[in-house]
């Protein structure tokens, strides 16, 4: 039908058609950029930043245990008092980091593992509080001995179990992040090929119309 039109109409239609196809290529490129940007932001938030948050929570969890052991082990009142303050501060920091970790859970496996750890933490804090209460009075040798025994018999196994689950959560997060990274790399290649094809088709049609 293009050849049946007058020259002015033919040129105008051809230019508009060519511009439309080129615009499709440009729009496709913009969509590619938006999709990739969105997915990398998602990956950074739910895997990059979350790994840091899990790590921070694990550090605070370890520091809390160290403070507890110091409280029931040292015999200097000022040191014990300082360690109690550290224990309280680190517990607050841990709670903050742990809440942030929950916000970035991306899969059902992560959610299930998080809930398992969270339920075990409730029992851990109960034991930890009891140990600290028993052993923070340096003048009561019997209570401190009971606290040390309780820490060794109950707190230590609970700590090891929870910490190993936190390591598992970290590993799961890392593996899923790596998987998403591989998927994004493949997606980038596919979308770029699609854009190149659109541009080549546009160039081919433009050349044909020009002739």
């Amino acid at each position: 039908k293009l050849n049946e039109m007058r020259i002015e109409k033919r040129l105008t239609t051809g230019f508009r058609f060519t511009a439309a196809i080129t615009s499709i290529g440009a729009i496709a490129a913009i969509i590619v950029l938006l999709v990739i940007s969105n997915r990398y932001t998602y990956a950074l938030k739910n895997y990059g930043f979350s790994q840091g948050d899990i790590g921070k929570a694990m550090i605070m969890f370890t520091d809390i245990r160290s403070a507890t052991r110091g409280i029931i082990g040292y015999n200097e009142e000022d040191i014990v008092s300082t360690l109690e303050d550290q224990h309280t501060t680190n517990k607050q920091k841990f709670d903050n980091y742990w809440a942030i970790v929950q916000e970035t859970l991306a899969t059902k496996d992560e959610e299930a593992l998080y809930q398992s750890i969270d339920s075990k933490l409730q029992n851990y804090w109960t034991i930890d509080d009891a140990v600290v209460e028993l052993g923070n009075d340096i003048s009561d040798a019997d209570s401190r001995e009971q606290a040390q025994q309780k820490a060794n018999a109950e707190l230590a196994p609970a700590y090891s179990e929870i910490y190993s689950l936190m390591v598992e959560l970290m590993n799961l997060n890392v593996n899923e992040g790596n998987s998403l990274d591989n998927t994004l790399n493949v997606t980038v290649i596919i979308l770029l090929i699609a854009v190149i094809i659109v541009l080549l088709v546009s160039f081919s049609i433009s050349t044909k119309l020009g002739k």
Side-chain angles (χ1 to χ4, degrees):
K1 291 184 178 180
L2 192 64
N3 292 329
E4 298 174 0
M5 299 178 183
R6 295 178 59 190
I7 185 64
E8 179 182 0
K9 182 67 173 177
R10 188 186 306 175
L11 289 172
T12 303
T13 302
F15 287 140
R16 286 177 178 173
F17 189 71
T18 303
I21 296 176
T22 306
S23 297
I24 291 174
I27 292 172
I30 292 172
I31 291 174
V32 169
L33 290 174
L34 291 176
V35 169
I36 298 304
S37 175
N38 176 268
R39 299 313 296 170
Y40 269 109
T41 299
Y42 172 86
L44 190 61
K45 176 183 176 182
N46 291 282
Y47 297 106
F49 292 155
S50 67
Q51 288 168 24
D53 293 328
I54 295 171
K56 290 175 183 177
M58 292 171 69
I59 291 172
M60 288 300 104
F61 189 57
T62 301
D63 287 348
I64 292 168
R65 187 200 183 198
S66 296
T68 300
R69 296 174 71 179
I71 290 170
I72 64 176
Y74 283 103
N75 294 317
E76 292 80 5
E77 186 173 351
D78 56 338
I79 295 179
V80 171
S81 178
T82 300
L83 288 171
E84 284 184 301
D85 292 338
Q86 290 179 2
H87 184 280
T88 301
T89 301
N90 290 338
K91 176 64 165 55
Q92 293 173 346
K93 290 181 179 179
F94 173 86
D95 289 339
N96 292 336
Y97 290 137
W98 195 238
I100 294 173
V101 170
Q102 185 178 25
E103 295 174 359
T104 58
L105 298 175
T107 66
K108 291 183 178 180
D109 289 340
E110 286 185 347
E111 291 177 1
L113 189 52
Y114 179 93
Q115 292 302 326
S116 175
I117 296 171
D118 199 56
S119 63
K120 294 179 186 302
L121 278 171
Q122 307 310 314
N123 180 59
Y124 180 86
W125 299 132
T126 300
I127 300 172
D128 184 67
D129 290 341
V131 169
V132 171
E133 186 175 352
L134 272 173
N136 62 358
D137 185 357
I138 63 174
S139 63
D140 191 340
D142 290 338
S143 292
R144 286 171 68 79
E145 184 177 353
Q146 292 177 27
Q148 292 168 5
Q149 291 175 354
K150 188 176 184 66
N152 185 60
E154 299 179 37
L155 197 63
Y159 171 86
S160 298
E161 181 183 14
I162 292 172
Y163 192 85
S164 64
L165 290 175
M166 288 181 176
V167 172
E168 185 178 342
L169 179 62
M170 173 69 85
N171 291 335
L172 179 62
N173 194 271
V174 170
N175 292 336
E176 290 172 351
N178 291 337
S179 176
L180 178 58
D181 180 60
N182 293 332
T183 301
L184 285 174
N185 289 332
V186 173
T187 303
V188 168
I189 294 172
I190 293 174
L191 291 176
L192 287 177
I193 291 174
V195 170
I196 291 172
I197 290 174
V198 171
L199 292 176
L200 290 175
V201 170
S202 173
F203 180 78
S204 176
I205 295 176
S206 300
T207 303
K208 184 176 181 180
L209 288 175
K211 290 181 178 180

